Amino acid sequence: MATRDDVARLAGVSPSTVSYVISGRRTISDATKAKVLSAMRELNYTPDAFAQGLAGSRRGILALHFPTSVDGYSSTEFEYVTAAMERARALGYHMLLWSNPMTDVMGLESLVGQKLVAGVLLMEVSINDPRFDVLRRANIPFASIGRPDDSEDLSYVDNDFAEAGRIAVDYLADLGHHSLMYINVSVQDQKAGNGPATRTARAIGDAVAGRGLRMQEVPVENNARGGREALEIYLAMDPRPTAVLALKEFATAGFVNAAGMASLRIPEDLSVIALGVGDRSAEMVAPALTTVAPSGERISHAAVDALVQQIEGRTTGAVQELITPQMMVRDSSGPAPR
Amino acid sequence: MATRDDVARLAGVSPSTVSYVISGRRTISDATKAKVLSAMRELNYTPDAFAQGLAGSRRGILALHFPTSVDGYSSTEFEYVTAAMERARALGYHMLLWSNPMTDVMGLESLVGQKLVAGVLLMEVSINDPRFDVLRRANIPFASIGRPDDSEDLSYVDNDFAEAGRIAVDYLADLGHHSLMYINVSVQDQKAGNGPATRTARAIGDAVAGRGLRMQEVPVENNARGGREALEIYLAMDPRPTAVLALKEFATAGFVNAAGMASLRIPEDLSVIALGVGDRSAEMVAPALTTVAPSGERISHAAVDALVQQIEGRTTGAVQELITPQMMVRDSSGPAPR
DNA sequence: CTGAAAGCGCTAACAT
DNA sequence: ATGTTAGCGCTTTCAG
């Protein structure tokens, strides 16, 4: 592979001149610029990223920490990843997908210590997430999709859960529903401090109290079996709630499908609203799920922007943004039965 | 941040000694090793990845090319990504997710020219994929998940589509089905040379001929609407096939859900088998889909292994592996109606 | 407007 | 068993 010196030789200029026509950090005469450019093309030259990174200050790689989960991932979560990836590309950065467990603090320290990446974007943030301390200590730019409870000086972009709770509950209350069930993540996930679960529970609780409704919470695992369990619990309730708010798509699908088997009619007997579930997943289920969810693309884009702003040093303090979720009424919700 | 020279100074040894205790490429006395290690710890030292990459030969990053698609991605496809990511990590490599469009040959050339990555893993391979030529010319190690038609000297891991076709068709034939419908990807995707679609069509065609069955092919887009269109076409057929083989999960879900709305009973009136769809997606649908699919994890692991073998120079020629798909009978298939 | 030269923080060959 | 030294291919000062 050709190096910068090869180009310089062919063009009959000094090596640094080649660098300067590439970086544009110096005014170069059109004549030499042309010579250099044509030499570059002839040799099919591309600067070596490692040499650039070592010599210069810019290391154009971002890490996206997407911790592995036993539950597997949904297409909804994948949307966040692809959106972040595309935004990074648009801003001239490569994206390193980093999947070590969330608890692997040592691994994160070492990733950062290697200085391979210019900044880190965190996903799957818990309310007491240990990664923030590591990153703060390491003095590396970072931002997060989601936020911990103590987020004062942090740069993050998150769903506006309070708004999501209000939207969903207002919608149901206006349709005459008085009694709700909330399908939460598993107790284990709640203990682990799952951010969306925690905030959604608070938000719905507040909204329910504000409208004078009743709500019962049911924790299940996010898979078809969890959804079936939730249905059994639902069937055993007396009186039964007329609406269900649910957090995760696999459990929600399991619930809806089991309800169908049990000859419960959705939405005639029971309304279901999926929170935070993407459009593709919502339409895989029958009846198609009414959802309240933020645009994953908007969240990821804003988060990457926040990170890059820090990296490039053009920011005054932390960027904090809450994305307003949108309600998409599909076929799983309607007026309360009388 | 501390550098290697800082560590050497603190430990009272030469800089290269520090390098050697890290790499283990030289026998070091326990005494000095201890000194160095403690100095490293005290300074919280981690070697700089860019310096290591520039000076040495090892550049521990793999690129995973996951081209952007307008259709969005399913959780099934995401499984391939996470599995590849984890295998890379286990083998001591970082994973760069690269999402430029498949046709961005220039971009690929430049990524490779930068020498940022030690090798490239291709996903979403089409039968006449332009990326292989680029990579071959660039003389960089690469492997693929999926394969083009001309794959003689290539390293790839792919689903054994012929086997998948046999498994699915034999199963249906043994249950008394004579007439099948095959829900293919859109005509546009077929023209683009979608590998799984092309090979599945061939495989099913062969298997159907071998068992003396009939088959009709229906191309639709991979979304809920496409599935509904497929159902309309199905309903218009006379006589109607008793079994449907389908390729993509969003279209399949749309078809099954629309069938339910039309009061078609699955599997009593009609069997549905989803090809290449993962377990999580199969269970989001009601009735849960019978699937014939390879383990995405196995494919990704084998593909990363093949790539790393090339990078590390311990391979004799191309590694080519076909992964046998497994049938998972769920609730969407059964005996042909009489 | 352009060149020369000093690093960036390492690896690995060449010493002893 | 350890030290010395020549690069790796760039960016960026310093010098015209």
Side-chain angles (χ1 to χ4, degrees):
Chain A
M1 214 31 191
T3 72
R4 184 197 56 166
D5 289 23
D6 297 328
V7 175
R9 216 169 300 127
L10 213 188
V13 300
S14 81
S16 66
T17 296
V18 175
S19 289
Y20 283 117
V21 348
I22 292 172
S23 69
R25 294 172 157 295
R26 203 184 232 187
T27 38
I28 308 269
S29 75
D30 287 350
T32 60
K33 192 180 292 184
K35 281 190 297 184
V36 170
L37 254 17
S38 102
M40 283 176 45
R41 207 159 302 127
E42 187 170 339
L43 296 176
N44 198 8
Y45 170 73
T46 310
D48 183 294
F50 278 81
Q52 284 188 309
L54 181 58
S57 54
R58 182 172 200 279
R59 277 123 105 144
I61 310 181
L62 310 181
L64 178 64
H65 188 197
F66 192 76
T68 47
S69 141
V70 283
D71 267 357
Y73 293 103
S74 61
S75 63
T76 303
E77 282 156 317
F78 202 13
E79 276 173 27
Y80 284 80
V81 175
T82 53
M85 191 162 77
E86 265 153 32
R87 188 59 154 204
R89 172 153 66 92
L91 296 178
Y93 287 84
H94 288 296
M95 183 73 101
L96 198 75
L97 238 196
W98 200 73
S99 66
N100 289 35
M102 203 181 91
T103 51
D104 182 14
V105 171
M106 301 274 309
L108 184 58
E109 243 163 351
S110 132
L111 171 72
V112 167
Q114 285 182 85
K115 302 216 267 190
L116 222 207
V117 297
V120 179
L121 189 59
L122 265 23
M123 290 187 68
E124 307 283 310
V125 172
S126 71
I127 56 177
N128 53 0
D129 202 299
R131 295 173 292 177
F132 290 98
D133 273 347
V134 176
L135 262 17
R136 216 172 335 222
R137 273 205 313 273
N139 201 29
I140 187 180
F142 63 91
S144 58
I145 292 175
R147 64 193 195 275
D149 265 350
D150 177 13
S151 58
E152 210 167 325
D153 57 340
L154 264 32
S155 278
Y156 63 78
V157 182
D158 202 355
N159 182 14
D160 187 341
F161 293 99
E163 185 63 21
R166 268 192 299 272
I167 291 172
V169 170
D170 280 348
Y171 167 80
L172 291 172
D174 290 346
L175 286 172
H177 295 271
H178 292 102
S179 172
L180 317 182
M181 173 166 128
Y182 169 47
I183 303 184
N184 201 342
V185 299
S186 68
V187 174
Q188 185 184 327
D189 279 7
Q190 290 179 53
K191 286 216 178 99
N194 182 303
T198 308
R199 294 207 172 74
T200 300
R202 287 181 204 153
I204 296 180
D206 290 352
V208 157
R211 298 288 304 238
L213 312 183
R214 286 187 310 284
M215 180 187 86
Q216 169 136 3
E217 187 179 324
V218 173
V220 298
E221 287 188 7
N222 181 30
N223 51 42
R225 190 163 36 76
R228 286 193 292 273
E229 282 169 27
L231 180 75
E232 276 166 33
I233 293 170
Y234 174 83
L235 291 176
M237 288 180 182
D238 187 16
R240 293 180 188 160
T242 59
V244 169
L245 295 163
L247 207 52
K248 291 283 199 168
E249 60 208 83
F250 297 127
T252 308
F255 178 87
V256 167
N257 294 339
M261 298 286 290
S263 300
L264 271 178
R265 292 167 309 159
I266 296 174
E268 292 80 1
D269 300 331
L270 169 64
S271 285
V272 175
I273 296 185
L275 303 171
V277 167
D279 299 338
R280 319 271 325 197
S281 291
E283 300 201 333
M284 271 193 81
V285 180
L289 300 171
T290 291
T291 53
V292 177
S295 154
E297 191 176 66
R298 278 193 63 195
I299 289 193
S300 284
H301 282 188
V304 171
D305 288 349
L307 176 57
V308 168
Q309 270 177 38
Q310 280 180 70
I311 290 172
E312 301 182 350
R314 38 182 182 64
T315 172
T316 53
V319 177
Q320 309 193 331
E321 198 172 342
L322 256 28
I323 302 294
T324 305
Q326 304 293 319
M327 174 147 80
M328 187 78 197
V329 176
R330 296 195 180 80
D331 308 326
S332 68
S333 62
R338 24 173 341 162
Chain B
M1 216 29 191
T3 73
R4 185 195 57 164
D5 288 23
D6 297 328
V7 175
R9 215 169 299 127
L10 213 189
V13 300
S14 82
S16 68
T17 296
V18 175
S19 288
Y20 284 117
V21 347
I22 291 172
S23 69
R25 294 171 155 293
R26 203 184 232 187
T27 39
I28 308 269
S29 75
D30 289 351
T32 60
K33 192 179 294 184
K35 278 190 301 186
V36 170
L37 254 17
S38 101
M40 281 176 45
R41 205 158 304 127
E42 188 170 337
L43 295 176
N44 199 8
Y45 170 72
T46 309
D48 182 294
F50 278 79
Q52 285 187 310
L54 181 58
S57 54
R58 182 173 200 280
R59 272 127 108 129
I61 310 182
L62 309 180
L64 179 63
H65 188 197
F66 193 77
T68 46
S69 143
V70 282
D71 267 357
Y73 293 103
S74 61
S75 64
T76 303
E77 282 158 316
F78 201 13
E79 277 173 27
Y80 284 80
V81 175
T82 54
M85 188 163 80
E86 265 154 30
R87 188 58 153 203
R89 172 153 64 94
L91 296 178
Y93 287 85
H94 287 296
M95 184 71 102
L96 198 74
L97 241 196
W98 200 72
S99 65
N100 290 36
M102 203 180 91
T103 50
D104 181 14
V105 170
M106 301 274 309
L108 183 58
E109 244 164 350
S110 132
L111 171 74
V112 166
Q114 286 183 84
K115 300 216 269 196
L116 223 207
V117 298
V120 179
L121 190 59
L122 264 24
M123 290 186 70
E124 307 282 311
V125 172
S126 71
I127 56 177
N128 53 359
D129 201 300
R131 294 173 293 176
F132 289 98
D133 273 346
V134 177
L135 262 14
R136 217 173 336 224
R137 274 206 312 274
N139 201 28
I140 188 180
F142 63 92
S144 60
I145 292 175
R147 64 193 195 276
D149 265 352
D150 177 13
S151 58
E152 211 167 323
D153 58 337
L154 264 32
S155 278
Y156 64 78
V157 182
D158 202 355
N159 181 15
D160 188 342
F161 292 98
E163 184 64 21
R166 271 193 296 275
I167 291 172
V169 171
D170 280 348
Y171 166 82
L172 290 172
D174 290 345
L175 285 172
H177 295 271
H178 292 102
S179 172
L180 316 182
M181 173 167 128
Y182 169 47
I183 302 185
N184 203 342
V185 299
S186 67
V187 173
Q188 184 185 328
D189 279 6
Q190 289 178 55
K191 285 217 180 98
N194 181 303
T198 309
R199 295 208 171 74
T200 298
R202 288 179 202 155
I204 295 181
D206 291 350
V208 157
R211 296 289 303 239
L213 312 183
R214 287 187 309 283
M215 180 186 87
Q216 169 134 6
E217 188 179 322
V218 173
V220 298
E221 287 188 7
N222 181 30
N223 51 41
R225 188 162 37 76
R228 285 193 291 271
E229 281 170 27
L231 181 76
E232 276 166 34
I233 294 170
Y234 174 83
L235 291 175
M237 288 180 183
D238 186 17
R240 293 181 187 159
T242 59
V244 169
L245 295 163
L247 207 52
K248 291 284 201 166
E249 59 207 86
F250 296 127
T252 309
F255 179 87
V256 168
N257 293 338
M261 298 286 290
S263 299
L264 271 178
R265 293 167 309 159
I266 297 175
E268 292 80 2
D269 300 330
L270 169 65
S271 285
V272 175
I273 296 186
L275 303 171
V277 167
D279 299 338
R280 319 271 326 197
S281 291
E283 300 201 333
M284 271 193 81
V285 180
L289 300 170
T290 292
T291 54
V292 177
S295 155
E297 192 175 65
R298 279 192 63 196
I299 289 193
S300 284
H301 282 188
V304 171
D305 288 349
L307 176 57
V308 169
Q309 269 176 41
Q310 281 181 69
I311 291 172
E312 300 181 351
R314 37 181 185 64
T315 174
T316 54
V319 177
Q320 308 193 331
E321 198 171 343
L322 255 28
I323 301 293
T324 305
Q326 304 293 317
M327 174 148 80
M328 187 79 196
V329 177
R330 295 195 179 80
D331 308 327
S332 68
S333 62
R338 28 170 339 161

